[in-house]
């Protein structure tokens, strides 16, 4: 197939031996690049050591508590060295008897999109490609399929005879994205949050294809966030800075929810359309909604068992 | 690992309330709160106080024994207030919510005195369905934490009582189509 190409480069005799030689040289160059960060010899021995250890660390789920603490410390130190930035990376574990759930009031949302903006800022989402975990659509009455809605509405809201529906990751109990991942880089935590180990993701995007809810986002380029806008309160499985070529998604703001706080979207919503809480607490607001309001889940027939309900007054 | 059965099965399996005090990262809010005069399914809860945000509170500083024409008040001191509450063409008047004699309080049509911090008692007289949802948690907003002691916004924290419908405004941003 490539005969022409090979022939057209004169003096390049390709044999198995020379190919292997070249491959070995490439590997050597590659690991040198890993050590130096690819920018010459100006990197300190400390940085090189940190990068080396970061590269060969385990999948987050296989780490011991000490190893988790060590990688978190390394990430904080690296941010300090590289960007002169003091970040606080948490590795807070899930809590006992907590299963997070979310409810969205489609009759009360006014389409202001404060949630989308708050999410972008909270989760250090790439500003250049305009990555958003939440998408909000202006819908015609009677429609319940967000693909029929319009997300680019450039007029004052709420518009007459329209309603607004937001979609994001629904944190399915039986999540297709988890099954699709060939490297086990994504899983569901015991508190129900579906997370990604960004360092274990190979960027194959199978999960993106598997998700029936358009819940996942891919970093086609190096994510860009202005340094002064970076949210420094981070979580290893949440809003720490992603790299080029990895998958990311809504984590119910794991860095906030595991501290007992509401996700940024729920806190930012000026209309109270977003209800978040512990499904295993019979007294919680989310349980009140499930018990007393008309609720439905999107594409429930797929059997994905999402923990995100829509409800109406 | 999680995942013993479906979400609904897991929900049904639990009867015990979540042990709330165990979340150590939940701190007391800096805002002033008051204990609500209602109880929700989890018992007592707190409401964000309102009075400190009313610019000219206490009202009785001006509203003394001296009589004052309501029309003058609407024109001068309270000229910024536009009432857009009630049916179109039949808007509410001040005295339908404010106490006629004791100006530091609200009052319902039966003359029951209502504190400004507990305005939900008054709003709920007409909006009883919303009040029921607000007590349970399907209407309104919890403040900052999902865990710990329940603190919620008062009705007036989100709604301007004189014009309670949310205003129309431009959206903050836009969303791309789902298939992109």
């Amino acid at each position: 197939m490539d005969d022409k190409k090979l022939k057209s480069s004169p003096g390049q005799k390709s044999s198995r031996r020379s190919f292997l030689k070249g491959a070995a040289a490439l590997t050597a160059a590659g690991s040198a690049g890993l050590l130096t960060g690819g920018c010459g010899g100006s990197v300190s021995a400390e940085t090189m050591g940190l990068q080396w250890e970061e590269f060969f660390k385990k999948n987050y789920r296989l780490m011991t508590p000490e190893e988790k603490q060590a990688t978190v410390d390394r990430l904080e130190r690296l941010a300090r060295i590289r960007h002169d930035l003091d970040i606080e990376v948490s590795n807070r574990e899930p809590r006992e008897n907590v299963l997070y759930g979310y409810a969205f009031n489609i009759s009360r949302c006014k389409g202001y999109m404060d949630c989308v903006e708050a999410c972008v800022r909270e989760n250090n989402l790439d500003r250049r490609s305009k990555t958003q975990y939440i998408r909000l659509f202006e819908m015609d009455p009677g429609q319940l399929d967000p693909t029929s809605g319009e997300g680019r509405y450039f007029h004052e809201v709420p518009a007459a005879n329209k309603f607004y529906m937001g979609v994001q990751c629904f944190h399915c109990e039986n999540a297709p994205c988890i099954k699709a991942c060939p490297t086990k880089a994504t899983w569901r935590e015991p508190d129900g949050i579906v997370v990604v180990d960004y360092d274990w993701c190979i960027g194959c995007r199978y999960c993106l294809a598997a998700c029936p809810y358009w819940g996942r986002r891919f970093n086609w380029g190096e994510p860009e966030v202005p340094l002064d806008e970076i949210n420094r309160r981070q979580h290893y499985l949440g809003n720490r800075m992603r790299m080029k070529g990895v998958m990311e998604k809504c984590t119910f703001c794991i860095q906030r929810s595991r501290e007992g706080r509401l996700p940024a979207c729920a806190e930012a919503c000026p209309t109270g359309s977003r209800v978040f809480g512990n499904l295993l607490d019979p007294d919680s607001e989310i349980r009140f909604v499930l018990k007393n309001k008309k609720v439905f889940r999107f594409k429930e027939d797929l059997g994905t068992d999402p923990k995100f309900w829509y409800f109406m007054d | 690992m999680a995942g013993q059965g479906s979400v609904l099965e897991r929900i049904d399996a639990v009867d015990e309330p979540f042990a709330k005090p165990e979340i150590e990262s939940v701190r007391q809010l800096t805002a002033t709160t008051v204990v609500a005069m209602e109880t929700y399914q989890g018992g007592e809860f707190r409401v964000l106080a309102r009075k400190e945000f009313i610019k000219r509170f206490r009202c009785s500083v001006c509203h003394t024994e001296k009589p004052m024409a309501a029309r003058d008040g609407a024109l001068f001191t309270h000229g910024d207030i536009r009432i857009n509450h009630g049916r179109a063409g039949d808007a509410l008047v001040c005295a339908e919510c404010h106490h006629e004699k004791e100006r530091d309080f609200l009052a319902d049509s039966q003359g029951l005195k209502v504190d400004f911090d507990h305005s939900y008692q008054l709003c709920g007289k007409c909006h009883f369905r919303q009040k029921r949802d607000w007590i349970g948690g399907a209407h309104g907003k919890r403040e900052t934490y999902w865990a710990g002691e329940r603190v919620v916004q008062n009705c007036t924290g989100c709604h301007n009582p004189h014009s309670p419908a949310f205003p129309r405004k431009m959206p903050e941003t836009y969303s791309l189509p789902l298939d992109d």
Side-chain angles (χ1 to χ4, degrees):
Chain A
M1 177 186 108
D2 272 330
D3 276 3
K4 269 182 200 160
K5 263 189 186 164
L6 282 174
K7 274 174 194 161
S8 66
S9 50
Q12 286 273 321
K13 218 178 77 187
S14 185
S15 68
R16 181 180 151 79
R17 182 176 298 263
S18 68
F19 170 77
L20 285 176
K21 234 175 159 179
L26 267 177
T27 315
S31 55
L34 162 72
L35 282 176
T36 58
C39 51
S42 63
V43 174
S44 71
E46 185 194 4
T47 316
M48 280 201 261
L50 289 172
Q51 282 175 338
W52 182 269
E53 292 202 43
E54 272 298 288
F55 192 81
F56 288 105
K57 69 185 174 186
K58 292 182 204 160
N59 182 311
Y60 188 71
R61 271 196 294 180
L62 299 176
M63 288 184 199
T64 63
E66 294 75 35
E67 284 170 330
K68 284 178 181 173
Q69 192 53 47
T71 178
V72 156
D73 291 344
R74 282 198 297 271
L75 288 171
E76 285 176 355
R77 181 71 190 138
L78 275 172
R80 182 98 198 112
I81 295 170
R82 283 178 184 155
H83 306 296
D84 199 22
L85 202 64
D86 275 318
I87 61 169
E88 216 177 286
V89 185
S90 157
N91 57 350
R92 167 89 69 193
E93 295 290 326
R95 294 176 190 281
E96 286 279 310
N97 301 320
V98 174
L99 184 68
Y100 295 112
Y102 208 115
F104 183 97
N105 190 337
I106 49 171
S107 51
R108 214 155 272 286
C109 175
K110 301 269 186 280
Y112 294 149
M113 291 214 180
D114 289 300
C115 50
V116 181
E117 197 55 28
C119 170
V120 167
R121 292 182 172 272
E122 170 70 27
N123 289 301
N124 296 325
L125 299 188
D126 182 23
R127 307 293 202 272
R128 196 162 55 112
S129 69
K130 210 175 157 56
T131 302
Q132 296 169 341
Y133 290 162
I134 305 173
R135 285 171 179 173
L136 208 59
F137 296 96
E138 189 172 80
M139 313 258 294
D140 287 320
Q143 292 292 328
L144 280 179
D145 179 4
T147 49
S148 72
E150 176 55 80
R152 287 171 287 200
Y153 44 89
F154 305 111
H155 53 76
E156 287 201 333
V157 287
N161 207 26
K162 297 276 186 191
F163 80 98
Y164 299 86
M165 185 170 178
V167 290
Q168 59 200 76
C169 172
F170 293 161
H171 298 272
C172 308
E173 279 290 281
N174 185 19
C177 54
I178 298 174
K179 294 179 202 163
C181 181
T183 59
K184 290 191 167 29
T186 182
W187 66 91
R188 193 186 66 246
E189 287 275 284
D191 54 7
I193 303 178
V194 177
V195 293
V196 181
D197 184 343
Y198 309 117
D199 290 312
W200 218 252
C201 174
I202 55 168
C204 69
R205 313 196 299 285
Y206 283 10
C207 54
L208 181 93
C211 176
Y213 302 114
W214 312 277
R216 290 179 163 255
R217 306 285 180 271
F218 187 65
N219 285 292
W220 291 97
E222 198 69 39
E224 283 177 19
V225 183
L227 271 187
D228 56 334
E229 285 183 23
I230 285 185
N231 178 6
R232 298 164 188 223
R233 293 208 154 185
Q234 305 178 356
H235 192 285
Y236 190 91
L237 300 171
N239 60 344
R240 74 180 165 108
M241 282 313 293
R242 274 74 60 181
M243 338 50 187
K244 180 179 176 176
V246 303
M247 216 65 210
E248 60 177 289
K249 60 185 284 301
C250 158
T251 59
F252 278 164
C253 284
I254 195 165
Q255 66 280 358
R256 296 168 67 103
S257 48
R258 284 200 177 161
E259 304 294 334
R261 302 184 70 189
L262 294 165
C265 49
E267 192 170 308
C269 176
T271 66
S273 306
R274 293 173 168 273
V275 179
F276 178 83
N278 180 7
L279 289 169
L280 301 186
D281 179 6
D283 298 339
S284 64
E285 284 93 349
I286 179 91
R287 285 286 293 274
F288 179 87
V289 169
L290 296 189
K291 203 169 168 183
N292 295 286
K293 308 303 282 186
K294 292 190 191 86
V295 295
F296 69 92
R297 292 188 282 181
F298 189 38
K299 297 187 183 176
E300 195 162 14
D301 49 323
L302 295 179
T304 48
D305 208 7
K307 292 189 286 293
F308 192 105
W309 284 264
Y310 292 97
F311 71 105
M312 48 206 112
D313 285 339
Chain B
M1 268 311 292
Q4 310 89 17
S6 73
V7 175
L8 294 181
E9 283 162 14
R10 290 182 69 184
I11 291 175
D12 288 340
V14 185
D15 302 317
E16 289 293 298
F18 180 62
K20 291 175 181 72
E22 75 184 23
I23 293 209
E24 65 298 335
S25 51
V26 174
R27 301 201 186 88
Q28 203 175 347
L29 294 173
T30 47
T32 318
T33 58
V34 291
V35 178
M37 294 182 182
E38 305 279 348
T39 52
Y40 81 121
Q41 60 271 23
E44 209 171 63
F45 66 102
R46 298 186 82 88
V47 181
L48 289 183
R50 164 75 176 161
K51 276 185 261 191
E52 59 191 271
F53 296 104
I54 304 176
K55 283 188 206 99
R56 281 189 279 256
F57 200 80
R58 295 162 12 141
C59 313
S60 59
V61 171
C62 295
H63 289 280
T64 52
E65 298 292 300
K66 207 177 89 181
M68 182 79 66
R71 195 187 45 215
D72 290 355
L75 266 175
F76 302 118
T77 315
H78 302 302
D80 54 333
I81 292 174
R82 294 274 172 275
I83 294 183
N84 183 18
H85 191 170
R87 289 195 195 89
D90 186 19
L92 298 176
V93 297
C94 313
E96 279 178 88
C97 298
H98 290 274
H99 199 290
E100 277 190 78
K101 299 278 179 318
E102 295 182 61
R103 293 305 173 93
D104 293 336
F105 291 91
L106 301 162
D108 72 357
S109 55
Q110 272 97 49
L112 173 80
K113 242 166 57 175
V114 176
D115 193 288
F116 277 97
D117 284 341
H118 299 281
S119 52
Y120 52 87
Q121 287 182 309
L122 180 66
C123 305
K125 297 279 174 180
C126 296
H127 307 283
F128 46 87
R129 192 178 54 80
Q130 282 85 348
K131 187 186 173 191
R132 189 188 59 206
D133 280 351
W134 173 80
I135 290 171
H139 183 115
K141 263 173 81 76
R142 214 174 146 137
E143 188 64 11
T144 313
Y145 296 108
W146 64 264
E149 189 177 23
R150 182 175 186 232
V151 181
V152 294
Q153 286 275 3
N154 216 324
C155 310
T156 45
C158 303
H159 299 277
N160 175 351
H162 300 119
S163 178
F166 285 116
R168 281 162 60 87
K169 63 167 191 159
M170 285 303 283
E172 287 290 312
T173 176
Y174 61 90
S175 292
L176 297 172
L178 282 171
D179 354 318
D180 270 21

